[in-house]
Amino acid sequence: MNKNNDSKHWKLGIFYYNPDDPSESVERRNGMGSTINFASKTGRLIFAFIFIPPIMIVLVFIIVMLLK
């Protein structure tokens, strides 16, 4: 059994959160690939760099549309 497969470390079944695990990414619970350890500082930075720019683009678009 995968050491990272403990249910208490998986939030909503898809987000890996284990402060005791120093790795930034871990194997997915099901299927191929890897996911981010959201408890690690580097994992949170990776998440921020991936998701904040699209959110900012949408917000700027909304503001521009409201100002017209």
Side-chain angles (χ1 to χ4, degrees):
M1 182 174 172
N2 184 353
K3 68 176 182 156
N4 301 321
N5 206 13
D6 190 0
S7 292
K8 70 179 181 180
H9 299 301
W10 291 89
K11 307 302 178 192
L12 302 175
I14 57 172
F15 299 107
Y16 183 71
Y17 189 90
N18 184 358
D20 297 327
D21 187 353
S23 60
E24 290 84 25
S25 67
V26 295
E27 290 182 25
R28 286 184 185 256
R29 206 169 176 187
N30 299 318
M32 297 181 358
S34 62
T35 188
I36 299 169
N37 179 4
F38 288 94
S40 73
K41 189 174 190 178
T42 306
R44 288 188 299 263
L45 285 173
I46 292 169
F47 177 78
F49 281 116
I50 291 172
F51 288 102
I52 288 179
I55 291 170
M56 294 302 294
I57 290 170
V58 169
L59 289 176
V60 167
F61 179 76
I62 290 171
I63 292 170
V64 168
M65 294 306 287
L66 289 174
L67 293 176
K68 282 188 171 186

